[in-house]
Amino acid sequence: ISEDHFGSFEELYREHPLLKYCIENLPEHARQVMNTEIFAPFFNKFNSFLSSDSGRTWEVMFWSLKDPWQQFMGHHPLHLACALGLVTTIEWLLKNNISTETRNGYRDTVIEVATSTGREEIVDMVCMLGNADVNAIQRLGGTALHTAAFYGYSEIVRYLLFVGADSSVVDHEECRPLERAAEAGSNSVISIFLGHGDSLERASGSWTAAHAAGFAGRHETLEFLHTHHFDWTSRSRGMT
């Protein structure tokens, strides 16, 4: 995305500092779309919103924290502050008893948003100050542990297990966090689950780590599973 396409970034940022935070503090997994055709419409739409009367009103409300339940795109400030990594704002909101169980427009709780950033300090803050439910079911049927496993956030996986996350929960596709780690090719995360006592074996017909890795083309993970004596005769949905 070039400045020639949108005009001067710095001029835009001076007028709308919140937009600068949104762009410069995106989690890595979200940043992957920044140079694609997906991001340009978002940039234009968000800039247009901030330039409108309602956008300016919302921006003032957010920065002053006068209305912690504003509903821009279904996100109140605690979700947004976690997504942008605004640690001071997160701490202020939690100390003022803003609930971590409120769900955004995607039906996710704050622990899911915090986990997606990949920053353990934010997850810790939400859990310790906000007493977040680490086993809250999110929009896709899984928990924050599924998200951490899929993105390969080893330290967050360890932390969530330490504070009581249940690694046996299955999501809408009957996958545990371990299978999501295999799907993503995160061998280090699979090792964490095995060390935690989880098994590669599952009930007959269940989607296994090998099925997940094979379906996603994760050859190194399949080799990793082989070294851990995976039972290659296991069937899922009729397939070995």
Side-chain angles (χ1 to χ4, degrees), residues 62-92:
F62 174 76
W63 288 115
S64 64
L65 298 174
K66 289 181 179 178
D67 180 9
W69 301 107
Q70 58 81 26
Q71 291 294 310
F72 173 68
M73 292 299 288
H75 299 273
H76 69 72
L78 185 53
H79 287 80
L80 191 56
C82 285
L84 300 181
L86 305 180
V87 174
T88 302
T89 303
I90 296 168
E91 183 177 11
W92 188 95

Side-chain angles (χ1 to χ4, degrees), residues 1 23 26-39 150-151 153 218:
I1 301 174
I23 293 172
L26 285 172
E28 184 59 33
H29 68 276
R31 187 175 296 280
Q32 293 173 9
V33 305
M34 285 188 64
N35 293 318
T36 70
E37 60 183 14
I38 298 173
F39 188 69
F150 182 77
Y151 285 123
Y153 296 150
R218 305 294 185 181

Side-chain angles (χ1 to χ4, degrees), residues 188-220:
S188 60
V189 173
I190 297 174
S191 294
I192 293 171
F193 287 123
L194 294 178
H196 181 67
D198 292 342
S199 173
L200 294 175
E201 308 303 325
R202 301 197 67 189
S204 178
S206 297
W207 197 244
T208 68
H211 287 91
F215 188 78
R218 305 294 185 181
H219 301 295
E220 291 184 0

Side-chain angles (χ1 to χ4, degrees), residues 28 57-58 68 89 92 95 117 131 135 159 172 182-183 222 233:
E28 184 59 33
T57 299
W58 173 81
T89 303
W92 188 95
K95 287 183 176 178
T117 68
N131 195 30
N135 291 311
Y159 178 85
H172 69 302
E183 178 187 1
L222 290 172
T233 64

Side-chain angles (χ1 to χ4, degrees), residues 124-139:
D124 177 65
M125 190 176 292
V126 168
C127 289
M128 296 298 103
L129 289 180
N131 195 30
D133 179 5
V134 295
N135 291 311
I137 301 299
Q138 308 302 325
R139 63 187 168 114

